[in-house]
Amino acid sequence: MKNTILTILGALVMPLAAATPTAEFAPELRPLFETLISERSLSLVGKEYTVPLRIKHASEKFLVFSNSQIQLDPDTKYEIGKWRFDTSITSPYHGKKNVVVFVKFRIDQIHKEDPKMPFFEATILSISEPNEDKNEPNQ
């Protein structure tokens, strides 16, 4: 009987455990995340965003940002976006870390196959460094 009760409680608690933004998560991404986990997630497809993100790793094959990560549990983090990019856009940043850049991207697809780990696929349209006088993209 105890095992049955624990199994039922576990089944009730598991769906409540959901992905949440990490402490470093860019505040500009929070509304996008809230829409991603809602019933309106498909409304994001085709929209463009410009967000300041901190490069964690940049190479010809990978682009990872430290402030766009979602925490699933104490051991599991993943990025809110799977980034498609042309290396001509990212090459100035290859090998750099902890550099804040403005990333302009378009959301191409929403993935909610695993409801605990929603994410989007996006194409990076441009990356620019902040204007030194203001915290906004260089034009």
Side-chain angles (χ1 to χ4, degrees), residues 38-58:
S38 76
E39 296 295 320
R40 305 179 329 271
S41 61
L42 290 178
S43 70
L44 296 170
V45 175
K47 290 189 177 175
E48 293 181 7
Y49 298 88
T50 302
V51 178
L53 296 174
R54 183 176 302 277
I55 295 173
K56 184 174 183 177
H57 175 80

PDB file of all heavy atoms in Angstrom, residues 38-58:
ATOM      1  N   SER A  38       3.627  28.517 -22.839  1.00  0.00           N
ATOM      2  CA  SER A  38       2.174  28.697 -22.826  1.00  0.00           C
ATOM      3  C   SER A  38       1.527  28.007 -24.032  1.00  0.00           C
ATOM      4  O   SER A  38       2.205  27.451 -24.894  1.00  0.00           O
ATOM      5  CB  SER A  38       1.827  30.188 -22.856  1.00  0.00           C
ATOM      6  OG  SER A  38       2.016  30.706 -24.165  1.00  0.00           O
ATOM      7  N   GLU A  39       0.224  28.107 -24.085  1.00  0.00           N
ATOM      8  CA  GLU A  39      -0.537  27.577 -25.226  1.00  0.00           C
ATOM      9  C   GLU A  39      -0.327  28.431 -26.479  1.00  0.00           C
ATOM     10  O   GLU A  39      -0.681  28.019 -27.573  1.00  0.00           O
ATOM     11  CB  GLU A  39      -2.036  27.544 -24.883  1.00  0.00           C
ATOM     12  CG  GLU A  39      -2.380  26.607 -23.736  1.00  0.00           C
ATOM     13  CD  GLU A  39      -2.117  25.151 -24.079  1.00  0.00           C
ATOM     14  OE1 GLU A  39      -2.399  24.743 -25.221  1.00  0.00           O
ATOM     15  OE2 GLU A  39      -1.604  24.434 -23.200  1.00  0.00           O
ATOM     16  N   ARG A  40       0.231  29.622 -26.327  1.00  0.00           N
ATOM     17  CA  ARG A  40       0.441  30.545 -27.448  1.00  0.00           C
ATOM     18  C   ARG A  40       1.826  30.402 -28.079  1.00  0.00           C
ATOM     19  O   ARG A  40       2.259  31.276 -28.830  1.00  0.00           O
ATOM     20  CB  ARG A  40       0.257  31.985 -26.976  1.00  0.00           C
ATOM     21  CG  ARG A  40      -1.059  32.279 -26.303  1.00  0.00           C
ATOM     22  CD  ARG A  40      -1.196  33.729 -25.818  1.00  0.00           C
ATOM     23  NE  ARG A  40       0.023  34.399 -25.411  1.00  0.00           N
ATOM     24  CZ  ARG A  40       0.544  34.382 -24.174  1.00  0.00           C
ATOM     25  NH1 ARG A  40      -0.034  33.709 -23.218  1.00  0.00           N
ATOM     26  NH2 ARG A  40       1.650  35.042 -23.885  1.00  0.00           N
ATOM     27  N   SER A  41       2.544  29.326 -27.791  1.00  0.00           N
ATOM     28  CA  SER A  41       3.936  29.201 -28.222  1.00  0.00           C
ATOM     29  C   SER A  41       4.118  29.318 -29.738  1.00  0.00           C
ATOM     30  O   SER A  41       5.109  29.874 -30.197  1.00  0.00           O
ATOM     31  CB  SER A  41       4.539  27.900 -27.712  1.00  0.00           C
ATOM     32  OG  SER A  41       3.833  26.793 -28.214  1.00  0.00           O
ATOM     33  N   LEU A  42       3.163  28.833 -30.515  1.00  0.00           N
ATOM     34  CA  LEU A  42       3.311  28.900 -31.971  1.00  0.00           C
ATOM     35  C   LEU A  42       3.268  30.332 -32.497  1.00  0.00           C
ATOM     36  O   LEU A  42       3.721  30.593 -33.618  1.00  0.00           O
ATOM     37  CB  LEU A  42       2.248  28.045 -32.659  1.00  0.00           C
ATOM     38  CG  LEU A  42       2.431  26.535 -32.497  1.00  0.00           C
ATOM     39  CD1 LEU A  42       1.290  25.772 -33.172  1.00  0.00           C
ATOM     40  CD2 LEU A  42       3.773  26.076 -33.041  1.00  0.00           C
ATOM     41  N   SER A  43       2.773  31.265 -31.692  1.00  0.00           N
ATOM     42  CA  SER A  43       2.753  32.670 -32.113  1.00  0.00           C
ATOM     43  C   SER A  43       4.166  33.245 -32.215  1.00  0.00           C
ATOM     44  O   SER A  43       4.365  34.307 -32.803  1.00  0.00           O
ATOM     45  CB  SER A  43       1.910  33.513 -31.148  1.00  0.00           C
ATOM     46  OG  SER A  43       2.557  33.633 -29.890  1.00  0.00           O
ATOM     47  N   LEU A  44       5.165  32.560 -31.667  1.00  0.00           N
ATOM     48  CA  LEU A  44       6.553  33.026 -31.727  1.00  0.00           C
ATOM     49  C   LEU A  44       7.190  32.795 -33.096  1.00  0.00           C
ATOM     50  O   LEU A  44       8.123  33.507 -33.476  1.00  0.00           O
ATOM     51  CB  LEU A  44       7.398  32.306 -30.669  1.00  0.00           C
ATOM     52  CG  LEU A  44       7.038  32.557 -29.209  1.00  0.00           C
ATOM     53  CD1 LEU A  44       7.796  31.593 -28.301  1.00  0.00           C
ATOM     54  CD2 LEU A  44       7.326  33.996 -28.831  1.00  0.00           C
ATOM     55  N   VAL A  45       6.690  31.820 -33.833  1.00  0.00           N
ATOM     56  CA  VAL A  45       7.303  31.446 -35.113  1.00  0.00           C
ATOM     57  C   VAL A  45       7.248  32.624 -36.093  1.00  0.00           C
ATOM     58  O   VAL A  45       6.203  33.232 -36.290  1.00  0.00           O
ATOM     59  CB  VAL A  45       6.626  30.195 -35.715  1.00  0.00           C
ATOM     60  CG1 VAL A  45       7.179  29.882 -37.108  1.00  0.00           C
ATOM     61  CG2 VAL A  45       6.803  28.995 -34.798  1.00  0.00           C
ATOM     62  N   GLY A  46       8.406  32.921 -36.668  1.00  0.00           N
ATOM     63  CA  GLY A  46       8.512  34.004 -37.644  1.00  0.00           C
ATOM     64  C   GLY A  46       8.864  35.348 -37.032  1.00  0.00           C
ATOM     65  O   GLY A  46       9.224  36.274 -37.756  1.00  0.00           O
ATOM     66  N   LYS A  47       8.804  35.473 -35.725  1.00  0.00           N
ATOM     67  CA  LYS A  47       9.111  36.751 -35.071  1.00  0.00           C
ATOM     68  C   LYS A  47      10.611  36.914 -34.897  1.00  0.00           C
ATOM     69  O   LYS A  47      11.348  35.955 -34.718  1.00  0.00           O
ATOM     70  CB  LYS A  47       8.404  36.857 -33.722  1.00  0.00           C
ATOM     71  CG  LYS A  47       6.908  37.004 -33.865  1.00  0.00           C
ATOM     72  CD  LYS A  47       6.272  37.328 -32.549  1.00  0.00           C
ATOM     73  CE  LYS A  47       4.771  37.535 -32.762  1.00  0.00           C
ATOM     74  NZ  LYS A  47       4.086  37.744 -31.508  1.00  0.00           N
ATOM     75  N   GLU A  48      11.040  38.184 -34.939  1.00  0.00           N
ATOM     76  CA  GLU A  48      12.448  38.516 -34.754  1.00  0.00           C
ATOM     77  C   GLU A  48      12.649  39.212 -33.421  1.00  0.00           C
ATOM     78  O   GLU A  48      11.785  39.982 -32.977  1.00  0.00           O
ATOM     79  CB  GLU A  48      12.936  39.410 -35.888  1.00  0.00           C
ATOM     80  CG  GLU A  48      12.958  38.709 -37.226  1.00  0.00           C
ATOM     81  CD  GLU A  48      13.475  39.575 -38.363  1.00  0.00           C
ATOM     82  OE1 GLU A  48      13.949  40.717 -38.108  1.00  0.00           O
ATOM     83  OE2 GLU A  48      13.419  39.107 -39.512  1.00  0.00           O
ATOM     84  N   TYR A  49      13.781  38.933 -32.805  1.00  0.00           N
ATOM     85  CA  TYR A  49      14.131  39.502 -31.506  1.00  0.00           C
ATOM     86  C   TYR A  49      15.589  39.931 -31.544  1.00  0.00           C
ATOM     87  O   TYR A  49      16.404  39.330 -32.241  1.00  0.00           O
ATOM     88  CB  TYR A  49      13.963  38.472 -30.389  1.00  0.00           C
ATOM     89  CG  TYR A  49      12.544  37.997 -30.230  1.00  0.00           C
ATOM     90  CD1 TYR A  49      12.069  36.917 -30.972  1.00  0.00           C
ATOM     91  CD2 TYR A  49      11.663  38.633 -29.358  1.00  0.00           C
ATOM     92  CE1 TYR A  49      10.761  36.477 -30.837  1.00  0.00           C
ATOM     93  CE2 TYR A  49      10.358  38.201 -29.222  1.00  0.00           C
ATOM     94  CZ  TYR A  49       9.919  37.121 -29.968  1.00  0.00           C
ATOM     95  OH  TYR A  49       8.619  36.699 -29.837  1.00  0.00           O
ATOM     96  N   THR A  50      15.917  40.956 -30.776  1.00  0.00           N
ATOM     97  CA  THR A  50      17.306  41.359 -30.549  1.00  0.00           C
ATOM     98  C   THR A  50      17.508  41.378 -29.045  1.00  0.00           C
ATOM     99  O   THR A  50      16.819  42.109 -28.333  1.00  0.00           O
ATOM    100  CB  THR A  50      17.609  42.742 -31.157  1.00  0.00           C
ATOM    101  OG1 THR A  50      17.326  42.691 -32.561  1.00  0.00           O
ATOM    102  CG2 THR A  50      19.059  43.132 -30.937  1.00  0.00           C
ATOM    103  N   VAL A  51      18.450  40.552 -28.590  1.00  0.00           N
ATOM    104  CA  VAL A  51      18.627  40.329 -27.158  1.00  0.00           C
ATOM    105  C   VAL A  51      20.113  40.355 -26.817  1.00  0.00           C
ATOM    106  O   VAL A  51      20.922  39.783 -27.555  1.00  0.00           O
ATOM    107  CB  VAL A  51      18.036  38.950 -26.764  1.00  0.00           C
ATOM    108  CG1 VAL A  51      18.237  38.659 -25.297  1.00  0.00           C
ATOM    109  CG2 VAL A  51      16.561  38.887 -27.119  1.00  0.00           C
ATOM    110  N   PRO A  52      20.496  40.996 -25.699  1.00  0.00           N
ATOM    111  CA  PRO A  52      21.897  40.920 -25.275  1.00  0.00           C
ATOM    112  C   PRO A  52      22.175  39.549 -24.642  1.00  0.00           C
ATOM    113  O   PRO A  52      21.512  39.157 -23.688  1.00  0.00           O
ATOM    114  CB  PRO A  52      22.025  42.040 -24.244  1.00  0.00           C
ATOM    115  CG  PRO A  52      20.643  42.253 -23.721  1.00  0.00           C
ATOM    116  CD  PRO A  52      19.705  41.863 -24.832  1.00  0.00           C
ATOM    117  N   LEU A  53      23.126  38.834 -25.227  1.00  0.00           N
ATOM    118  CA  LEU A  53      23.483  37.512 -24.724  1.00  0.00           C
ATOM    119  C   LEU A  53      24.990  37.447 -24.476  1.00  0.00           C
ATOM    120  O   LEU A  53      25.769  38.106 -25.163  1.00  0.00           O
ATOM    121  CB  LEU A  53      23.064  36.427 -25.718  1.00  0.00           C
ATOM    122  CG  LEU A  53      21.564  36.295 -25.965  1.00  0.00           C
ATOM    123  CD1 LEU A  53      21.280  35.280 -27.070  1.00  0.00           C
ATOM    124  CD2 LEU A  53      20.835  35.904 -24.687  1.00  0.00           C
ATOM    125  N   ARG A  54      25.383  36.638 -23.498  1.00  0.00           N
ATOM    126  CA  ARG A  54      26.788  36.483 -23.132  1.00  0.00           C
ATOM    127  C   ARG A  54      27.323  35.188 -23.753  1.00  0.00           C
ATOM    128  O   ARG A  54      26.816  34.113 -23.487  1.00  0.00           O
ATOM    129  CB  ARG A  54      26.944  36.437 -21.617  1.00  0.00           C
ATOM    130  CG  ARG A  54      28.388  36.344 -21.150  1.00  0.00           C
ATOM    131  CD  ARG A  54      28.492  36.389 -19.640  1.00  0.00           C
ATOM    132  NE  ARG A  54      27.925  37.581 -19.075  1.00  0.00           N
ATOM    133  CZ  ARG A  54      28.539  38.765 -18.974  1.00  0.00           C
ATOM    134  NH1 ARG A  54      29.775  38.888 -19.432  1.00  0.00           N
ATOM    135  NH2 ARG A  54      27.946  39.801 -18.438  1.00  0.00           N
ATOM    136  N   ILE A  55      28.366  35.325 -24.577  1.00  0.00           N
ATOM    137  CA  ILE A  55      28.962  34.170 -25.236  1.00  0.00           C
ATOM    138  C   ILE A  55      29.672  33.301 -24.197  1.00  0.00           C
ATOM    139  O   ILE A  55      30.498  33.783 -23.433  1.00  0.00           O
ATOM    140  CB  ILE A  55      29.956  34.600 -26.332  1.00  0.00           C
ATOM    141  CG1 ILE A  55      29.216  35.328 -27.453  1.00  0.00           C
ATOM    142  CG2 ILE A  55      30.717  33.393 -26.881  1.00  0.00           C
ATOM    143  CD1 ILE A  55      30.118  35.933 -28.504  1.00  0.00           C
ATOM    144  N   LYS A  56      29.322  32.031 -24.212  1.00  0.00           N
ATOM    145  CA  LYS A  56      30.005  31.043 -23.372  1.00  0.00           C
ATOM    146  C   LYS A  56      31.019  30.274 -24.218  1.00  0.00           C
ATOM    147  O   LYS A  56      32.112  29.972 -23.772  1.00  0.00           O
ATOM    148  CB  LYS A  56      28.984  30.082 -22.758  1.00  0.00           C
ATOM    149  CG  LYS A  56      29.565  29.081 -21.809  1.00  0.00           C
ATOM    150  CD  LYS A  56      28.461  28.272 -21.144  1.00  0.00           C
ATOM    151  CE  LYS A  56      29.026  27.305 -20.130  1.00  0.00           C
ATOM    152  NZ  LYS A  56      27.953  26.575 -19.440  1.00  0.00           N
ATOM    153  N   HIS A  57      30.620  29.968 -25.455  1.00  0.00           N
ATOM    154  CA  HIS A  57      31.491  29.262 -26.394  1.00  0.00           C
ATOM    155  C   HIS A  57      31.055  29.606 -27.816  1.00  0.00           C
ATOM    156  O   HIS A  57      29.869  29.566 -28.127  1.00  0.00           O
ATOM    157  CB  HIS A  57      31.383  27.746 -26.184  1.00  0.00           C
ATOM    158  CG  HIS A  57      32.164  26.958 -27.181  1.00  0.00           C
ATOM    159  ND1 HIS A  57      33.519  26.767 -27.084  1.00  0.00           N
ATOM    160  CD2 HIS A  57      31.781  26.330 -28.324  1.00  0.00           C
ATOM    161  CE1 HIS A  57      33.936  26.046 -28.112  1.00  0.00           C
ATOM    162  NE2 HIS A  57      32.901  25.773 -28.882  1.00  0.00           N
ATOM    163  N   ALA A  58      32.023  29.926 -28.655  1.00  0.00           N
ATOM    164  CA  ALA A  58      31.720  30.204 -30.066  1.00  0.00           C
ATOM    165  C   ALA A  58      32.786  29.543 -30.933  1.00  0.00           C
ATOM    166  O   ALA A  58      33.980  29.741 -30.713  1.00  0.00           O
ATOM    167  CB  ALA A  58      31.684  31.702 -30.322  1.00  0.00           C
TER     168      ALA A  58
END
